[in-house]
Amino acid sequence: MRTHKKLLLTLLTGASSLLMAQSLLAAPVVLELDYEIPVQQNQVAFVPFAGDSVLSSVILNDLNRTELSVTSQGLPQQPRSINELSGTLPVWQSLGIPYLVVGSTRSNRGKIVTDYEVIDVKAGRVIEGKQTLSADNNSQSLRYAGHVIADKVYELITGIPGDFSGRIAYIEETGVGIDKTSRLKVMDADGENASTITEVNGSIFSPAWSPDGNRIAYTVQRDKSYPVIYVQNISGGGATTVTPYKGSNMSPSFSPDGSKILFSSSFEGSADIYEISAGGGNLRKLTNWPSSEVQPTYAPDGKSFVFVSDKTGFNRPQIYRYEFGSGRISKVSNSGYATTPKFNNDGTQIGFLSGSSAAIMNSNGQVVTNIGNTGLDEGVSFSPNGKRVVYASTQGGKGVITIKSLNGGEAFGKSGQGVIKSPVWSPNPK
């Protein structure tokens, strides 16, 4: 439904500009703007940034995959700043869209500088003033700058930091048996810009990000060898061996300060949970049950961790919490089968595998969201702000990474070669 309306605006003219300028005295000119006003469900109007060919599409794509409804179509004007709304603010207010995002790019000493504003349309003011971001003049840096700007725009509108500048690590497998090749890959949170961090003949398991988003810990198992945990800087360089132990060394998890790693290992018998320096050394054993304890994950506050144990019986794994201060262990999950726990950013929710379904429970073990059967024995990983999750599945014989909003935003998938496993979302880079 659209409403046809005419609006008369009195503007001051000066030189060739229609911008208001109080220092200019000129005869008033009446402009008659004849336009259609759509009945809006959109929350944000986004005007592509002046002088830009890369950033705007990244920002618009990011914001459109949240619960915000964003449009760049049918706008009455293409302003670069709030100053260019001086005489046309009533037009924007008539559209019924609460927020307007405008901006422009410029070159400065080989850098691309972006100035942008998020405008509260009803109040006619810029939220927290003009924002400025500088980036190198290449496509990768500009794509990243677009994600950073989308983060800030989302935060200015919702009060919650965005989750677009974090990246997603995952495993891609092709071939089988001794011909299997596994690649640890990283992509942007919009599914683009994928790159391979490492490739091995064999299997890669359970990648985990460091809290600064610069390193990944992961397990490699080559033919006729024990699984070994490595730490790799995503910017390049060789991997560091963390666990030179003759056992099954699996499921690394970085401590919140990045100095330590939890993991499970069977080098002393049945699998137990250990803590070690992120560079190797200073090994400490934390569990000592006769059953198998695996898949440890630090809580965001670093005061506890969760893990999986089969102490209640074969094929009945449950999730438990270990408290560092007291050494107390308590059961968290309430379902008959619970594995692969991962916390959200504030520790109030845990993504896990409940039977054959990926699900989310609160810290008391109550299931609050059922994602469904993905075809893989894996749970979900939360985005940095906890508003979205990423998980792997198999669809039509292809491995697919799905990013799903938990509060009404768009879900989308990214397919790859072979089998895709264990996607995990990084924190936003510091």
Side-chain angles (χ1 to χ4, degrees):
M1 178 178 178
R2 304 176 74 89
T3 302
H4 193 78
K5 182 181 289 187
K6 289 186 177 181
L7 192 68
L8 299 181
L9 299 177
T10 300
L11 304 179
L12 289 175
T13 63
S16 61
S17 174
L18 291 177
L19 299 179
M20 293 190 80
Q22 294 193 7
S23 61
L24 298 175
L25 296 177
V29 175
V30 175
L31 292 182
E32 185 176 273
L33 301 182
D34 191 358
Y35 62 97
E36 289 185 334
I37 298 178
V39 176
Q40 290 288 345
Q41 302 298 321
N42 297 298
Q43 296 167 283
V44 184
F46 181 85
V47 177
F49 294 168
D52 163 58
S53 61
V54 178
L55 295 164
S56 298
S57 60
V58 173
I59 298 165
L60 185 60
N61 186 52
D62 283 346
L63 294 175
N64 264 324
R65 285 171 169 165
T66 70
E67 74 280 13
L68 299 177
S69 180
V70 187
T71 184
S72 60
Q73 304 298 314
L75 303 181
Q77 189 187 4
Q78 300 286 305
R80 294 172 293 180
S81 70
I82 195 170
N83 294 333
E84 297 183 17
L85 298 184
S86 299
T88 58
L89 185 60
V91 177
W92 290 95
Q93 291 170 333
S94 296
L95 290 178
I97 303 177
Y99 302 100
L100 171 63
V101 181
V102 298
S104 62
T105 61
R106 52 190 165 88
S107 296
N108 182 23
R109 299 180 180 180
K111 301 278 189 178
I112 300 297
V113 180
T114 305
D115 301 310
Y116 63 100
E117 298 168 343
V118 179
I119 300 168
D120 179 333
V121 176
K122 184 176 181 180
R125 67 176 182 88
V126 179
I127 302 173
E128 292 189 14
K130 183 176 74 173
Q131 308 289 321
T132 299
L133 183 70
S134 179
D136 291 337
N137 189 8
N138 61 69
S139 59
Q140 187 164 333
S141 295
L142 290 173
R143 284 197 96 258
Y144 178 69
H147 293 314
V148 173
I149 292 172
D151 278 346
K152 187 62 177 179
V153 170
Y154 183 84
E155 182 176 8
L156 290 172
I157 292 172
T158 67
I160 300 168
D163 58 14
F164 313 112
S165 58
R167 305 188 75 193
I168 294 171
Y170 61 98
I171 299 158
E172 185 180 79
E173 294 179 350
T174 54
V176 295
I178 61 173
D179 296 322
K180 179 190 287 187
T181 297
S182 297
R183 300 171 187 88
L184 176 61
K185 305 187 78 168
V186 171
M187 69 179 186
D188 290 354
D190 59 0
E192 302 298 325
N193 200 29
S195 61
T196 298
I197 302 300
T198 190
E199 178 178 317
V200 302
N201 292 326
S203 297
I204 300 176
F205 303 101
S206 55
W209 288 93
S210 63
D212 61 5
N214 292 327
R215 294 170 292 162
I216 301 177
Y218 57 94
T219 293
V220 171
Q221 184 173 23
R222 295 178 172 88
D223 186 38
K224 298 179 182 179
S225 66
Y226 292 110
V228 177
I229 293 173
Y230 297 90
V231 171
Q232 177 107 26
N233 194 307
I234 64 167
S235 62
T240 300
T241 302
V242 178
T243 60
Y245 308 117
K246 293 182 178 180
S248 182
N249 306 290
M250 302 289 289
S251 305
S253 171
F254 277 97
S255 61
D257 66 1
S259 67
K260 299 175 182 177
I261 288 176
L262 287 172
F263 68 101
S264 68
S265 182
S266 61
F267 79 97
E268 292 184 311
S270 64
D272 285 301
I273 308 300
Y274 297 82
E275 187 178 59
I276 196 170
S277 168
N282 300 316
L283 183 68
R284 182 163 70 119
K285 188 175 185 178
L286 298 176
T287 64
N288 195 26
W289 291 347
S291 49
S292 292
E293 282 65 61
V294 295
Q295 299 176 343
T297 300
Y298 281 101
D301 63 7
K303 295 180 180 179
S304 65
F305 67 87
V306 292
F307 65 96
V308 174
S309 175
D310 62 0
K311 68 173 294 187
T312 61
F314 177 73
N315 205 31
R316 292 177 56 193
Q318 296 295 315
I319 296 171
Y320 296 81
R321 183 189 293 265
Y322 177 102
E323 297 175 13
F324 281 107
S326 63
R328 177 175 173 265
I329 298 176
S330 56
K331 189 160 87 65
V332 177
S333 57
N334 294 318
S335 61
Y337 182 104
T339 63
T340 66
K342 285 186 174 63
F343 282 101
N344 68 345
N345 61 321
D346 63 7
T348 60
Q349 293 186 330
I350 299 172
F352 74 112
L353 184 69
S354 176
S356 60
S357 294
I360 298 170
M361 64 179 168
N362 61 24
S363 57
N364 295 324
Q366 178 184 0
V367 174
V368 294
T369 303
N370 192 341
I371 305 296
N373 190 331
T374 67
L376 294 174
D377 291 335
E378 298 180 349
V380 299
S381 171
F382 290 92
S383 70
N385 64 12
K387 300 299 182 183
R388 295 192 288 173
V389 293
V390 60
Y391 57 92
S393 63
T394 301
Q395 299 176 19
K398 288 186 176 181
V400 177
I401 295 176
T402 298
I403 295 174
K404 179 180 176 60
S405 172
L406 298 176
N407 58 351
E410 175 188 340
F412 65 98
K414 182 76 173 180
S415 62
Q417 298 179 8
V419 177
I420 291 182
K421 294 181 178 180
S422 306
V424 58
W425 214 311
S426 81
N428 284 340
K430 306 298 182 186

Short mmCIF file of all heavy atoms in Angstrom, two decimals, residues 172-217:
data_model
loop_
_atom_site.label_atom_id
_atom_site.label_comp_id
_atom_site.label_asym_id
_atom_site.label_seq_id
_atom_site.Cartn_x
_atom_site.Cartn_y
_atom_site.Cartn_z
N GLU A 172 36.94 -28.40 6.09
CA GLU A 172 36.41 -28.92 4.82
C GLU A 172 37.18 -30.18 4.46
O GLU A 172 38.40 -30.15 4.36
CB GLU A 172 36.57 -27.86 3.73
CG GLU A 172 35.96 -28.21 2.39
CD GLU A 172 36.17 -27.09 1.39
OE1 GLU A 172 37.28 -26.99 0.84
OE2 GLU A 172 35.23 -26.30 1.19
N GLU A 173 36.45 -31.29 4.30
CA GLU A 173 37.07 -32.58 4.01
C GLU A 173 36.69 -33.06 2.62
O GLU A 173 35.52 -33.01 2.23
CB GLU A 173 36.61 -33.65 5.02
CG GLU A 173 37.06 -33.41 6.45
CD GLU A 173 36.55 -34.49 7.39
OE1 GLU A 173 35.70 -35.32 6.95
OE2 GLU A 173 36.99 -34.51 8.55
N THR A 174 37.70 -33.56 1.89
CA THR A 174 37.45 -34.23 0.62
C THR A 174 38.21 -35.56 0.62
O THR A 174 39.26 -35.68 1.25
CB THR A 174 37.91 -33.38 -0.58
OG1 THR A 174 39.28 -33.02 -0.40
CG2 THR A 174 37.07 -32.12 -0.69
N GLY A 175 37.67 -36.57 -0.08
CA GLY A 175 38.30 -37.88 -0.10
C GLY A 175 38.00 -38.66 1.17
O GLY A 175 37.41 -38.13 2.12
N VAL A 176 38.40 -39.93 1.19
CA VAL A 176 38.15 -40.80 2.35
C VAL A 176 39.40 -41.63 2.62
O VAL A 176 40.27 -41.80 1.75
CB VAL A 176 36.93 -41.73 2.12
CG1 VAL A 176 35.65 -40.93 2.01
CG2 VAL A 176 37.15 -42.59 0.87
N GLY A 177 39.45 -42.17 3.84
CA GLY A 177 40.54 -43.07 4.20
C GLY A 177 41.89 -42.40 4.06
O GLY A 177 42.08 -41.25 4.43
N ILE A 178 42.85 -43.14 3.47
CA ILE A 178 44.20 -42.59 3.34
C ILE A 178 44.25 -41.48 2.29
O ILE A 178 45.25 -40.76 2.19
CB ILE A 178 45.22 -43.69 2.97
CG1 ILE A 178 44.86 -44.35 1.63
CG2 ILE A 178 45.32 -44.73 4.09
CD1 ILE A 178 45.91 -45.32 1.14
N ASP A 179 43.17 -41.32 1.53
CA ASP A 179 43.11 -40.25 0.52
C ASP A 179 42.39 -39.00 1.04
O ASP A 179 42.16 -38.06 0.27
CB ASP A 179 42.39 -40.75 -0.74
CG ASP A 179 43.16 -41.87 -1.42
OD1 ASP A 179 44.40 -41.80 -1.45
OD2 ASP A 179 42.51 -42.82 -1.91
N LYS A 180 42.05 -39.00 2.32
CA LYS A 180 41.32 -37.84 2.86
C LYS A 180 42.26 -36.63 2.98
O LYS A 180 43.37 -36.72 3.47
CB LYS A 180 40.74 -38.15 4.23
CG LYS A 180 39.98 -36.95 4.83
CD LYS A 180 39.62 -37.16 6.28
CE LYS A 180 38.49 -38.16 6.43
NZ LYS A 180 38.04 -38.24 7.85
N THR A 181 41.76 -35.50 2.51
CA THR A 181 42.44 -34.21 2.69
C THR A 181 41.53 -33.30 3.50
O THR A 181 40.34 -33.17 3.18
CB THR A 181 42.76 -33.55 1.34
OG1 THR A 181 43.66 -34.39 0.62
CG2 THR A 181 43.41 -32.19 1.55
N SER A 182 42.07 -32.69 4.54
CA SER A 182 41.29 -31.78 5.39
C SER A 182 41.91 -30.39 5.34
O SER A 182 43.12 -30.25 5.41
CB SER A 182 41.26 -32.28 6.83
OG SER A 182 40.62 -33.54 6.92
N ARG A 183 41.05 -29.41 5.23
CA ARG A 183 41.50 -28.02 5.20
C ARG A 183 40.85 -27.25 6.34
O ARG A 183 39.63 -27.33 6.52
CB ARG A 183 41.15 -27.37 3.86
CG ARG A 183 41.78 -28.05 2.66
CD ARG A 183 41.24 -27.50 1.35
NE ARG A 183 41.75 -28.29 0.21
CZ ARG A 183 41.17 -29.38 -0.25
NH1 ARG A 183 40.04 -29.83 0.30
NH2 ARG A 183 41.70 -30.04 -1.26
N LEU A 184 41.65 -26.50 7.07
CA LEU A 184 41.12 -25.56 8.04
C LEU A 184 40.97 -24.23 7.33
O LEU A 184 41.95 -23.66 6.84
CB LEU A 184 42.06 -25.42 9.23
CG LEU A 184 41.67 -24.37 10.29
CD1 LEU A 184 40.32 -24.69 10.92
CD2 LEU A 184 42.76 -24.27 11.36
N LYS A 185 39.73 -23.76 7.24
CA LYS A 185 39.45 -22.55 6.46
C LYS A 185 38.83 -21.48 7.35
O LYS A 185 38.24 -21.78 8.39
CB LYS A 185 38.53 -22.87 5.28
CG LYS A 185 39.08 -23.99 4.38
CD LYS A 185 38.26 -24.18 3.12
CE LYS A 185 38.57 -23.13 2.09
NZ LYS A 185 37.99 -23.47 0.76
N VAL A 186 38.95 -20.25 6.90
CA VAL A 186 38.36 -19.12 7.61
C VAL A 186 37.64 -18.25 6.59
O VAL A 186 38.16 -17.99 5.49
CB VAL A 186 39.45 -18.29 8.33
CG1 VAL A 186 38.86 -17.01 8.89
CG2 VAL A 186 40.07 -19.10 9.46
N MET A 187 36.43 -17.80 6.93
CA MET A 187 35.69 -16.92 6.05
C MET A 187 35.10 -15.76 6.86
O MET A 187 35.02 -15.81 8.09
CB MET A 187 34.56 -17.68 5.33
CG MET A 187 33.43 -18.11 6.23
SD MET A 187 32.12 -18.98 5.30
CE MET A 187 30.88 -19.19 6.59
N ASP A 188 34.72 -14.71 6.14
CA ASP A 188 34.03 -13.60 6.80
C ASP A 188 32.65 -14.06 7.28
O ASP A 188 32.12 -15.07 6.81
CB ASP A 188 33.85 -12.43 5.83
CG ASP A 188 35.17 -11.73 5.51
OD1 ASP A 188 36.19 -12.09 6.12
OD2 ASP A 188 35.16 -10.83 4.64
N ALA A 189 32.07 -13.29 8.18
CA ALA A 189 30.78 -13.68 8.77
C ALA A 189 29.62 -13.58 7.78
O ALA A 189 28.51 -14.00 8.11
CB ALA A 189 30.49 -12.82 10.00
N ASP A 190 29.86 -13.03 6.59
CA ASP A 190 28.81 -13.03 5.56
C ASP A 190 28.99 -14.17 4.57
O ASP A 190 28.32 -14.22 3.54
CB ASP A 190 28.78 -11.69 4.83
CG ASP A 190 30.10 -11.34 4.14
OD1 ASP A 190 31.05 -12.15 4.24
OD2 ASP A 190 30.17 -10.27 3.52
N GLY A 191 29.93 -15.09 4.87
CA GLY A 191 30.14 -16.25 4.02
C GLY A 191 31.10 -16.01 2.86
O GLY A 191 31.34 -16.92 2.06
N GLU A 192 31.68 -14.82 2.78
CA GLU A 192 32.57 -14.50 1.68
C GLU A 192 34.03 -14.51 2.14
O GLU A 192 34.33 -14.66 3.32
CB GLU A 192 32.22 -13.11 1.12
CG GLU A 192 30.79 -12.98 0.63
CD GLU A 192 30.48 -13.93 -0.52
OE1 GLU A 192 31.36 -14.18 -1.37
OE2 GLU A 192 29.34 -14.44 -0.57
N ASN A 193 34.94 -14.34 1.17
CA ASN A 193 36.36 -14.14 1.46
C ASN A 193 37.00 -15.33 2.18
O ASN A 193 37.81 -15.16 3.10
CB ASN A 193 36.54 -12.85 2.30
CG ASN A 193 37.94 -12.30 2.24
OD1 ASN A 193 38.63 -12.48 1.25
ND2 ASN A 193 38.35 -11.64 3.30
N ALA A 194 36.65 -16.55 1.78
CA ALA A 194 37.21 -17.75 2.42
C ALA A 194 38.66 -17.95 2.03
O ALA A 194 39.06 -17.70 0.89
CB ALA A 194 36.39 -18.98 2.04
N SER A 195 39.46 -18.40 2.99
CA SER A 195 40.87 -18.70 2.73
C SER A 195 41.26 -19.93 3.54
O SER A 195 40.67 -20.23 4.57
CB SER A 195 41.77 -17.52 3.11
OG SER A 195 41.66 -17.21 4.49
N THR A 196 42.28 -20.66 3.08
CA THR A 196 42.74 -21.86 3.76
C THR A 196 43.90 -21.51 4.69
O THR A 196 44.89 -20.91 4.26
CB THR A 196 43.21 -22.91 2.74
OG1 THR A 196 42.09 -23.29 1.92
CG2 THR A 196 43.74 -24.16 3.44
N ILE A 197 43.77 -21.90 5.95
CA ILE A 197 44.81 -21.65 6.95
C ILE A 197 45.84 -22.76 6.93
O ILE A 197 47.04 -22.53 6.99
CB ILE A 197 44.19 -21.51 8.36
CG1 ILE A 197 43.16 -20.38 8.38
CG2 ILE A 197 45.27 -21.28 9.41
CD1 ILE A 197 43.70 -19.03 8.03
N THR A 198 45.37 -24.00 6.86
CA THR A 198 46.29 -25.14 6.76
C THR A 198 45.58 -26.29 6.08
O THR A 198 44.35 -26.38 6.11
CB THR A 198 46.80 -25.56 8.16
OG1 THR A 198 47.86 -26.50 8.02
CG2 THR A 198 45.70 -26.21 8.99
N GLU A 199 46.36 -27.17 5.46
CA GLU A 199 45.82 -28.34 4.76
C GLU A 199 46.66 -29.56 5.13
O GLU A 199 47.89 -29.47 5.15
CB GLU A 199 45.86 -28.11 3.25
CG GLU A 199 45.37 -29.27 2.41
CD GLU A 199 45.39 -28.96 0.92
OE1 GLU A 199 45.00 -27.84 0.54
OE2 GLU A 199 45.82 -29.85 0.15
N VAL A 200 46.01 -30.68 5.45
CA VAL A 200 46.74 -31.88 5.84
C VAL A 200 46.15 -33.10 5.16
O VAL A 200 44.96 -33.12 4.80
CB VAL A 200 46.71 -32.09 7.37
CG1 VAL A 200 47.28 -30.91 8.12
CG2 VAL A 200 45.30 -32.41 7.86
N ASN A 201 46.98 -34.12 4.98
CA ASN A 201 46.49 -35.43 4.59
C ASN A 201 46.10 -36.16 5.88
O ASN A 201 46.97 -36.57 6.65
CB ASN A 201 47.57 -36.21 3.84
CG ASN A 201 47.88 -35.62 2.48
OD1 ASN A 201 46.98 -35.10 1.82
ND2 ASN A 201 49.13 -35.69 2.07
N GLY A 202 44.83 -36.26 6.12
CA GLY A 202 44.32 -36.80 7.37
C GLY A 202 43.12 -36.00 7.81
O GLY A 202 42.39 -35.45 6.99
N SER A 203 42.92 -35.93 9.13
CA SER A 203 41.73 -35.27 9.68
C SER A 203 42.11 -34.09 10.56
O SER A 203 43.12 -34.11 11.26
CB SER A 203 40.91 -36.27 10.51
OG SER A 203 40.43 -37.33 9.69
N ILE A 204 41.27 -33.06 10.49
CA ILE A 204 41.36 -31.92 11.41
C ILE A 204 40.08 -31.90 12.23
O ILE A 204 38.99 -32.15 11.70
CB ILE A 204 41.53 -30.59 10.65
CG1 ILE A 204 42.81 -30.62 9.81
CG2 ILE A 204 41.57 -29.42 11.62
CD1 ILE A 204 43.00 -29.39 8.95
N PHE A 205 40.23 -31.63 13.52
CA PHE A 205 39.07 -31.61 14.42
C PHE A 205 39.02 -30.31 15.23
O PHE A 205 40.05 -29.70 15.52
CB PHE A 205 39.14 -32.77 15.42
CG PHE A 205 39.22 -34.13 14.81
CD1 PHE A 205 40.43 -34.80 14.73
CD2 PHE A 205 38.09 -34.77 14.30
CE1 PHE A 205 40.52 -36.06 14.18
CE2 PHE A 205 38.17 -36.04 13.75
CZ PHE A 205 39.39 -36.68 13.69
N SER A 206 37.82 -29.93 15.60
CA SER A 206 37.49 -28.97 16.68
C SER A 206 38.34 -27.72 16.73
O SER A 206 39.07 -27.48 17.70
CB SER A 206 37.54 -29.69 18.03
OG SER A 206 38.79 -30.32 18.24
N PRO A 207 38.27 -26.86 15.70
CA PRO A 207 38.98 -25.59 15.81
C PRO A 207 38.40 -24.71 16.91
O PRO A 207 37.20 -24.76 17.20
CB PRO A 207 38.76 -24.95 14.43
CG PRO A 207 37.52 -25.59 13.90
CD PRO A 207 37.51 -26.99 14.45
N ALA A 208 39.26 -23.92 17.55
CA ALA A 208 38.83 -23.02 18.63
C ALA A 208 39.61 -21.72 18.50
O ALA A 208 40.83 -21.72 18.32
CB ALA A 208 39.07 -23.65 19.99
N TRP A 209 38.93 -20.59 18.61
CA TRP A 209 39.55 -19.28 18.47
C TRP A 209 40.15 -18.80 19.79
O TRP A 209 39.60 -19.03 20.86
CB TRP A 209 38.52 -18.26 18.03
CG TRP A 209 38.08 -18.38 16.60
CD1 TRP A 209 36.99 -19.08 16.14
CD2 TRP A 209 38.68 -17.79 15.45
NE1 TRP A 209 36.88 -18.95 14.78
CE2 TRP A 209 37.90 -18.16 14.33
CE3 TRP A 209 39.80 -16.97 15.26
CZ2 TRP A 209 38.21 -17.74 13.04
CZ3 TRP A 209 40.11 -16.55 13.97
CH2 TRP A 209 39.32 -16.94 12.87
N SER A 210 41.25 -18.05 19.68
CA SER A 210 41.75 -17.31 20.84
C SER A 210 40.85 -16.11 21.06
O SER A 210 40.15 -15.66 20.15
CB SER A 210 43.19 -16.85 20.58
OG SER A 210 43.25 -15.95 19.48
N PRO A 211 40.83 -15.55 22.28
CA PRO A 211 39.91 -14.45 22.56
C PRO A 211 40.19 -13.18 21.76
O PRO A 211 39.29 -12.34 21.63
CB PRO A 211 40.09 -14.22 24.07
CG PRO A 211 41.36 -14.88 24.44
CD PRO A 211 41.53 -16.01 23.48
N ASP A 212 41.41 -13.01 21.24
CA ASP A 212 41.68 -11.83 20.42
C ASP A 212 41.40 -12.06 18.94
O ASP A 212 41.58 -11.16 18.11
CB ASP A 212 43.12 -11.34 20.62
CG ASP A 212 44.17 -12.38 20.21
OD1 ASP A 212 43.79 -13.46 19.69
OD2 ASP A 212 45.36 -12.12 20.44
N GLY A 213 40.97 -13.29 18.58
CA GLY A 213 40.65 -13.59 17.20
C GLY A 213 41.84 -13.71 16.27
O GLY A 213 41.67 -13.74 15.05
N ASN A 214 43.05 -13.82 16.83
CA ASN A 214 44.25 -13.89 16.00
C ASN A 214 44.83 -15.30 15.86
O ASN A 214 45.66 -15.54 14.99
CB ASN A 214 45.34 -12.97 16.56
CG ASN A 214 44.98 -11.51 16.42
OD1 ASN A 214 44.32 -11.11 15.46
ND2 ASN A 214 45.40 -10.69 17.38
N ARG A 215 44.42 -16.24 16.72
CA ARG A 215 44.97 -17.60 16.70
C ARG A 215 43.84 -18.62 16.70
O ARG A 215 42.74 -18.35 17.19
CB ARG A 215 45.87 -17.84 17.92
CG ARG A 215 47.14 -17.01 17.97
CD ARG A 215 47.82 -17.15 19.32
NE ARG A 215 47.03 -16.53 20.38
CZ ARG A 215 47.18 -16.78 21.68
NH1 ARG A 215 48.09 -17.66 22.07
NH2 ARG A 215 46.43 -16.16 22.57
N ILE A 216 44.15 -19.80 16.17
CA ILE A 216 43.22 -20.92 16.20
C ILE A 216 43.95 -22.14 16.73
O ILE A 216 45.06 -22.46 16.29
CB ILE A 216 42.65 -21.25 14.81
CG1 ILE A 216 41.92 -20.03 14.23
CG2 ILE A 216 41.69 -22.42 14.88
CD1 ILE A 216 41.39 -20.27 12.82
N ALA A 217 43.36 -22.82 17.71
CA ALA A 217 43.85 -24.12 18.16
C ALA A 217 43.00 -25.19 17.49
O ALA A 217 41.79 -25.02 17.32
CB ALA A 217 43.75 -24.23 19.68
#
